Amino acid sequence: MDNARRATEDADFRGPLDVTSAATFVLDEHDAVIGWSPAAQELLGYRTDEIIGRPVAAFLTPGGVPAPGAAPDPRAAAGRAADAPGALVPLFPEHHVHAAVHRDGHRMHLVVAVCPLSGTGRAERVVVAADRDRLREWESRLAMLQGLATESPLGFAIYDTGFRLVWCNAASEREIGRPLAETRGELAQELYPRGRFVTPGYPETLHAVMRRVLETGEPFLDLHFRAEQPSDPGREHVWSCSYYRLQDADGRVFGVCEDAFDISDRYEAQRQVSLLVEAGRTVGTTLDVLVTAGELAAVAVPEFADRVDVDLAPAVLAGEVPGGTGPAATDLLRAASHAAARPGTRHVDGTGPAGNTAGERLRPLPVTYAEGSPQHRSLASGGLVLEDGTLVVPLRAGGGVLGLATFVRDGLRGFFDHGAVAVADELVARAAVSVDNARRYTRERESALALQRQLLPQHLPSNSAVELAHRYLPTDDLSGVGGDWFDVIPLSGTRVGLVVGDVVGHGLHAAATMGRLRTTVRALAPLDLPPDELLKRLDDLVGQSAQDSADALGTLTGDDDVAAGATCLYAVYDPVSRRCTMARAGHLPPAVVEPGGRVSFPDLPAGPPLGLGGLPFECLEIDLPVGSLLALFTDGLVEARDRDIDKGLDTLARVLAEGADSLEDLCDRAVSTLLPDGTTNDDTALLLVRTRELDDRRVAVWSLPLEPVAAGRARELVAKRLRDWGLDELVFTTELIASELVTNAVRYAEGPLHLRLIHDRTLVCEVADGGHTAPHLRHSADDDEGGRGLFIIAQLVRRWGTRYSRDGKAIWTEQALPTPPRSRPGIGAATGRAEGPVLAAS
């Protein structure tokens, strides 16, 4: 800056032929030199005493350059001058180039101007000379200044210290639309009343920028100024402006110089490119249709449009592909709306809700466009529509229209040119891909959630045996399903089957495999198999499935089947005996919490994971006090990358021992303590079970002789107990059922023989014997004397079946209770014990 100032101060703004600075000499009527200026001596090298009286031809040759050689002979030159009087006339006012010889002998080219004199005695002419190159440089500068003032597209203006216009060039006049004579003296802010600087970190107004330049002396370069051009009202322009302070030779500040270049087209193009880049970065960051629509609306405001509305077909929000034509096709949902935060912004059609702010998820509301509106025409044609500052672009994907994006410009930007239309089309096309991806994801997620609803129990069955609570957290947040599962299966005799399992892997593949295993367990459980036998059959089926997959793939192993290596825990709880029998296939043992708060993990044999085959499973039977708590879980709850499984088990035991007001609260505490951030590295399932006991008033058991008279005795006992329970309506059918079951046992089985009634949510009648022969339901011929007992029973009960044990089998039936029952003895308290004997022997 200092160097530039010094160069300016040293500059000579006089022309090279100015008599105050140029080389001058005076000639008499014979063209002899009679006057010689110091500037002439500096230019040509001759001293005054060497040149006075000699002819001008001694150093200046009209029309040519003297031959090379030593210094010219003044006398010869004088003779030539005498032969050619007036050789330098006329030379004024035009400039002529003459060859000259410096005193040291080198040749020069001078531009001379000759001014004739009169009434001055001997002085005939004054010659003004300057170096040709210096004159050309000077003339170039003059041409440059003339071009800047008249021809340059760059606007120049000078303002005084009060910010009033002093001078401007032709380009500035064209921008202002008035001549300098009319605008001189006006304030800068009056010339551009609504203008503002948009370069970050700088003042916004013209006066603020000029004031800082005047105060600090530091120039401002390449500031972007946006304003309505006075000569082009109604349209906003952008200029690249620079400002620097003006000082005179004495250093006094007298104003500010402004240069400005209209970069509206370049700025708009760059802004549109930046918009597309920003859209690529910010649109489609999630797989949520509404969020994606909101991102499209937000990215275009306010740089590209003053308001953007995004409307989608209802099918898109449901994950489906829009289809059909006609009036229904114009019924859309307002998915997003974003407007610039300045007054005057108008709504697109007046039918939609108010715009949402950035980051706000708009609740979709119906919007219908009138026939003939730009939106209606766009839907009808499938193309974009431009009308009165409103641009409607359809969101197209896969050959269909997903919805519309409406861009609105107000005020100074009230129109869209061809470039803006192309940018909007590209922007919407990119967003449509993201919206379609989100739509596809919505469909897949809904399918996955539907699969989850089918694979996992959404509502556990109510029963008298246990109180339940559960939690399920898949690690795959996108699909919402995983490979862990749990289940509660009602069994005969008011017992309940409890299952928890873990399939290797995550996502839909693991979930589908989990569904196969859960379905298999639910199919095997009603067979009343012991837990170890059930796991053995499940293991066989998994191994067979893996082998089938291996054969289909032409491989030796079934690694493609993720069921191989799955783990499972199966337990059966009997609320009558309070016994729990369990077995596991490579799964973690359950936690058992006694009523006093003591927590233990039973020493249950692990067994191999499912699908390995060849190794046995073992059962463990434990007695559970009334009110005991069982916690069945998968390893995702207690194992993490930063925590080993033993520490997780200790933490779970501590939480269970502390207890909570309800099982639901205890579930929440366990999950929040072991998974504090709500995320898990593995699928997680937790099933909490509080045990109950059926008291003696609801259970009756009798031992009967293995004799024909036992059938009559069974009828008497059943009738009496049912009347005591207030179930008179069921006496006849139950007598028949008990009689037929006992008769079959006496005829085909062996002792001992037991009859049991359970009054629960249904009436259960069981006859147990020491045989292992399964009864068969069959149709008897008309002449058969027997074989109709089970057929009759099957018509009278809701369901029936056979349960096997080490000591024999039990055939059981379930009947619905009368509605409403006249009397139902209550269930024993969860923490209390039943009073009186449970077994009543005959």
Side-chain angles (χ1 to χ4, degrees), residues 646-657:
D646 290 334
K647 184 176 180 181
L649 292 173
D650 292 341
T651 303
L652 176 61
R654 176 176 54 81
V655 173
L656 295 177

Side-chain angles (χ1 to χ4, degrees), residues 15-17 22-23 43-44 60 64-65 95-100 106-113 128-141:
L17 294 178
L43 177 65
L44 295 170
L60 190 65
V65 179
H95 299 159
H96 289 257
V97 179
H98 292 262
H106 78 269
R107 289 173 294 178
M108 305 175 61
H109 289 84
L110 301 181
V111 178
V112 300
V128 181
D131 184 75
R132 181 187 62 179
D133 293 338
R134 185 182 175 200
L135 180 63
R136 287 180 177 176
E137 180 181 356
W138 171 256
E139 290 176 339
S140 297
R141 291 178 180 176

Side-chain angles (χ1 to χ4, degrees), residues 102-456:
H102 195 272
R103 184 177 182 277
D104 61 13
H106 78 269
R107 289 173 294 178
M108 305 175 61
H109 289 84
L110 301 181
V111 178
V112 300
V114 180
C115 180
L117 299 175
S118 63
T120 57
R122 293 177 56 197
E124 186 73 19
R125 285 175 285 187
V126 175
V127 180
V128 181
D131 184 75
R132 181 187 62 179
D133 293 338
R134 185 182 175 200
L135 180 63
R136 287 180 177 176
E137 180 181 356
W138 171 256
E139 290 176 339
S140 297
R141 291 178 180 176
L142 287 178
M144 178 188 69
L145 293 175
Q146 180 68 15
L148 289 176
T150 60
E151 303 296 334
S152 173
L154 191 69
F156 281 93
I158 295 176
Y159 298 88
D160 61 19
T161 55
F163 316 134
R164 296 183 180 276
L165 181 65
V166 176
W167 175 87
C168 69
N169 68 349
S172 290
E173 284 187 338
R174 288 193 296 270
E175 289 178 359
I176 297 173
R178 292 183 292 160
L180 177 62
E182 296 182 11
T183 58
R184 182 182 287 112
E186 290 190 19
L187 291 171
Q189 204 66 47
E190 293 176 351
L191 296 173
Y192 300 91
R194 291 192 292 177
R196 66 194 185 281
F197 288 97
V198 294
T199 304
Y202 291 88
E204 290 191 0
T205 65
L206 276 167
H207 289 178
V209 167
M210 293 180 181
R211 182 177 296 107
R212 185 178 295 183
V213 170
L214 290 174
E215 292 174 352
T216 66
E218 293 296 325
F220 283 170
L221 306 177
D222 194 26
L223 302 186
H224 289 176
F225 183 72
R226 296 178 66 169
E228 180 180 3
Q229 183 172 303
S231 62
D232 186 17
R235 181 185 178 189
E236 192 174 62
H237 287 241
V238 180
W239 290 269
S240 173
C241 302
S242 296
Y243 298 86
Y244 43 92
R245 192 167 66 182
L246 298 177
Q247 298 174 246
D248 60 18
D250 297 328
R252 290 189 296 270
V253 177
F254 64 87
V256 176
C257 184
E258 172 195 72
D259 63 70
F261 183 69
D262 193 329
I263 61 169
S264 300
D265 294 339
R266 186 182 70 189
Y267 183 84
E268 183 67 19
Q270 181 61 44
R271 186 172 62 177
Q272 291 171 357
V273 171
S274 300
L275 173 66
L276 294 178
V277 173
E278 181 66 12
R281 187 181 66 85
T282 60
V283 177
T285 59
T286 69
L287 290 173
D288 186 301
V289 172
L290 293 178
V291 171
T292 302
E295 291 169 343
L296 168 60
V299 75
V301 176
E303 290 300 315
F304 184 75
D306 297 294
R307 180 181 177 89
V308 177
D309 291 332
V310 181
D311 305 319
L312 299 176
V316 174
L317 274 66
E320 302 300 329
V321 179
T325 57
T330 62
D331 295 334
L332 303 178
L333 294 176
R334 178 63 46 82
S337 183
H338 197 68
R342 57 174 180 261
T345 303
R346 58 191 171 91
H347 288 267
V348 176
D349 55 8
T351 61
N356 57 314
T357 59
E360 181 182 358
R361 199 171 186 266
L362 191 66
R363 182 171 63 89
L365 293 176
V367 56
T368 302
Y369 293 107
E371 186 174 355
S373 65
Q375 292 80 7
H376 186 276
R377 301 205 313 270
S378 178
L379 288 171
S381 65
L384 58 86
V385 174
L386 177 61
E387 178 183 292
D388 189 25
T390 299
L391 174 62
V392 183
V393 183
L395 282 86
R396 297 180 291 267
V401 176
L402 306 179
L404 298 176
T406 303
F407 301 87
V408 177
R409 284 184 175 180
D410 291 303
L412 301 181
R413 295 191 301 170
F415 70 95
F416 293 89
D417 57 19
H418 292 296
V421 171
V423 169
D425 196 30
E426 175 68 17
L427 175 63
V428 173
R430 295 186 181 186
V433 174
S434 298
V435 170
D436 192 50
N437 288 339
R439 177 196 64 79
R440 293 172 183 269
Y441 164 74
T442 300
R443 182 184 61 189
E444 296 301 326
R445 179 172 174 80
E446 289 299 322
S447 299
L449 293 177
L451 175 63
Q452 180 194 37
R453 287 190 290 269
Q454 295 297 322
L455 298 180
L456 289 176

Side-chain angles (χ1 to χ4, degrees), residues 698-766:
R698 304 188 64 179
V699 180
V701 182
W702 300 277
S703 295
L704 299 174
L706 197 64
E707 299 175 357
V709 296
R713 178 60 177 161
R715 288 194 294 270
E716 295 175 3
L717 295 172
V718 166
K720 182 177 184 306
R721 182 51 59 97
L722 290 182
R723 292 189 178 94
D724 291 343
W725 284 343
L727 300 178
D728 301 65
E729 298 177 28
L730 298 180
V731 170
F732 176 77
T733 56
T734 309
E735 282 183 328
L736 178 58
I737 292 169
S739 176
E740 288 294 335
L741 292 180
V742 170
T743 299
N744 284 343
V746 171
R747 181 176 299 175
Y748 301 109
E750 57 189 44
L753 187 64
H754 299 284
L755 171 65
R756 182 167 73 164
L757 290 181
I758 301 175
H759 180 199
D760 189 36
R761 299 175 185 271
T762 61
L763 178 63
V764 178
C765 178
E766 296 181 351

